[in-house]
Amino acid sequence: MKLSFPLLLFSTLLFIFIALSVPFAAGRKPHVINFRSRNLFPESFTWDPKSQHFIVGSTRHQKLIAVSDAGVVESLITDTSLPENSSFLGLTVDRYNNRLLACIHRPPSPESPTPFNALASYDLQSNRRLFLSPLLDDVTQYDDAAVANDVAVDFHGNAYVTNSGGDFIWKITLSGDVSILSKSKAFKSHPIDTTTDYHKCGLNGIVFSPRGYLLVVQSNTGKLFKVNVDDGAARAVILNRDLTAADGISIREDGVVLVVSQEKLYFLNSNDGWGEGGVYDETALERERFATAVTVGDGRRVYVLYGHVMKGINGNEERDEFGIAEVESEKESEEEPVWLYILIGIGFFIFFIWRFQMHKLVESLNKKTV
């Protein structure tokens, strides 16, 4: 067997690649970003692929900040026209229209007994607000229990916002027109443990799948729902376990769904388009830092937000430092080196063939010399 020059070159490059890849794969630590912003207490964040930074909201101030992967903070948007004491909850980037969509919520108070819920749209080029659409129950009146919690956006610029108090989903068009997409009976068909702190928090995290439907988690039941964006029809996804205290949700390019709670990050997959699905791994989080959101950053890296949000909502604590942390699946980390071992095996195979051929070549030259 003779090896051609291209094959010898390939084997050499393969060994160089393996030599560089193995230490990197074995030694890379999860990315941790600690950033400082006075009394931000963020509940949500999202990744902006165009500017390559995170956008982080606040429950104490009417502002949004940009956080780099090195933890450098820049003021992005300050919207003083929003009602006093309102918060930025769910955030998402509409990459097709270069917009940031933000859920705005102000809880009822003695001074303002009626809550305020709205979706704000901001142009990411100019940071100018494009619209502020109030979100009403039946689009006619405010619901005292309503909380505009999280937002997702489809390919056409339609936004979908969960109402955690009323267990329904609003739809907001690209121009800001509001309607109710779904008040499915499925959202109220599961028992609720009223002894939990989050028993009043219903539909929460929402994400749009590239396959054309919504996936929504419900905090007080631990259920995951698949929702049709055309008619609002919804049904619970059959899972191998409940997603206890589910909060934020995101989806990777490979279809893996990520659901965060205060205590853990769930990794889910499905083989039938989310008629059924399963939790194939879960990673423990730092409970006292109170993770509330998850997003997918550059290179499919998964990040959670540690915003100490409950201390911020209680309003009795001052704090400057918050965190964004990469979270990995232990099972996926164990599987990743397999391809390297396969390459190593191929490399050794080519190397031994090459060595055998070189040995034959030396023998042949010796015979000719003699």
Side-chain angles (χ1 to χ4, degrees), residues 280-351:
Y280 68 86
D281 201 7
E282 54 186 56
T283 301
L285 302 177
E286 298 177 54
R287 189 179 193 280
E288 68 281 359
R289 299 180 72 189
F290 213 109
T292 52
V294 58
T295 194
V296 180
D298 193 29
R300 283 179 31 182
R301 291 185 175 186
V302 177
Y303 293 88
V304 299
L305 173 68
Y306 286 124
H308 301 267
V309 68
M310 289 309 297
K311 294 179 180 178
I313 292 174
N314 292 335
N316 56 0
E317 185 169 322
E318 304 285 312
R319 189 178 186 87
D320 292 341
E321 188 170 301
F322 305 94
I324 294 171
E326 181 184 3
V327 180
E328 297 177 332
S329 161
E330 185 176 336
K331 291 185 178 179
E332 290 180 352
S333 298
E334 290 172 352
E335 294 170 359
E336 282 179 356
V338 171
W339 66 273
L340 287 174
Y341 297 137
I342 293 172
L343 286 177
I344 290 171
I346 294 172
F348 273 117
F349 177 72
I350 294 174
F351 173 74

Side-chain angles (χ1 to χ4, degrees), residues 83-105:
E84 188 178 357
N85 297 323
S86 58
S87 302
F88 284 104
L89 297 185
L91 303 173
T92 195
V93 169
D94 177 3
R95 63 183 63 189
Y96 300 101
N97 296 288
N98 198 32
R99 300 182 300 159
L100 175 70
L101 298 171
C103 295
I104 311 297
H105 174 67

Side-chain angles (χ1 to χ4, degrees), residues 104-106 115-119 133-136 142-143 146-148 170:
I104 311 297
H105 174 67
R106 185 200 62 199
F116 178 80
N117 292 287
L119 181 73
S133 296
L135 301 175
L136 312 175
Y142 281 98
D143 176 3
V147 179
W170 286 288

Side-chain angles (χ1 to χ4, degrees), residues 270-281:
S270 173
N271 295 321
D272 65 354
W274 296 101
E276 296 184 19
V279 177
Y280 68 86
D281 201 7

Side-chain angles (χ1 to χ4, degrees), residues 112-278:
S112 303
T114 302
F116 178 80
N117 292 287
L119 181 73
S121 172
Y122 298 96
D123 178 74
L124 283 173
Q125 182 67 35
S126 64
N127 295 336
R128 179 176 61 89
R129 194 173 75 194
L130 303 173
F131 64 72
L132 180 69
S133 296
L135 301 175
L136 312 175
D137 189 359
D138 292 327
V139 203
T140 57
Q141 61 182 2
Y142 281 98
D143 176 3
D144 289 347
V147 179
N149 203 318
D150 199 13
V151 58
V153 63
D154 66 19
F155 299 130
H156 306 292
N158 297 308
Y160 306 91
V161 175
T162 52
N163 182 337
S164 293
D167 273 324
F168 64 82
I169 301 171
W170 286 288
K171 177 179 178 179
I172 303 91
T173 66
L174 183 61
S175 59
D177 297 325
V178 180
S179 61
I180 291 180
L181 172 71
S182 182
K183 280 192 171 183
S184 173
K185 293 180 180 179
F187 301 147
K188 295 184 180 291
S189 61
H190 300 278
I192 297 171
D193 182 358
T194 57
T195 64
T196 61
D197 295 336
Y198 49 86
H199 71 274
K200 292 184 178 181
C201 185
L203 297 183
N204 199 330
I206 186 169
V207 67
F208 177 75
S209 167
R211 296 188 177 183
Y213 47 81
L214 298 169
L215 292 173
V216 190
V217 292
Q218 192 171 45
S219 298
N220 53 12
T221 65
K223 302 301 180 184
L224 175 69
F225 296 93
K226 179 181 178 180
V227 182
N228 188 303
V229 294
D230 296 321
D231 59 12
R235 57 187 175 84
V237 177
I238 300 171
L239 297 176
N240 57 348
R241 72 186 74 174
D242 287 338
L243 308 172
T244 304
D247 197 334
I249 187 172
S250 190
I251 186 168
R252 284 194 325 212
E253 291 180 358
D254 59 359
V256 169
V257 167
L258 310 143
V259 176
V260 71
S261 71
Q262 182 183 357
E263 298 188 355
K264 61 183 67 176
L265 180 67
Y266 298 96
F267 294 79
L268 300 89
N269 56 16
S270 173
N271 295 321
D272 65 354
W274 296 101
E276 296 184 19

